[in-house]
Amino acid sequence: MYLVIELQTINGVTANIITQYETQALAEQQYYFILSAAAVSNLDVHSAILMDCRGSVLKNDFYDRRENV
């Protein structure tokens, strides 16, 4: 089992969407789908995390559009 977590931050408030997948291939598909949307989003920070059922982070990436980090 794999989890994909999407984080969307705007004006200091972060929302999260967590989805579960049976295979790593399906989880990776969603992970990259999120990042493709994040590449053109207007959110301050848009992130994706891929984890296994033990909580190990397999992949993570983000787009940070804040000017003063």
Side-chain angles (χ1 to χ4, degrees):
M1 190 261 306
Y2 298 88
L3 298 171
V4 177
I5 303 170
E6 178 177 3
L7 301 174
Q8 301 177 358
T9 302
I10 191 161
N11 296 325
V13 177
T14 301
N16 64 78
I17 302 166
I18 303 171
T19 48
Q20 179 177 317
Y21 297 91
E22 290 300 317
T23 68
Q24 186 170 349
L26 289 173
E28 286 186 4
Q29 180 183 34
Q30 181 63 19
Y31 172 82
Y32 287 113
F33 177 77
I34 292 166
L35 290 176
S36 70
V40 296
S41 79
N42 293 322
L43 297 170
D44 295 339
V45 183
H46 201 162
S47 308
I49 305 162
L50 172 60
M51 301 173 68
D52 65 16
C53 63
R54 296 172 301 185
S56 297
V57 174
L58 305 176
K59 298 178 183 219
N60 69 296
D61 207 349
F62 63 91
Y63 289 85
D64 190 340
R65 292 180 176 79
R66 298 173 295 171
E67 291 187 23
N68 298 318
V69 179

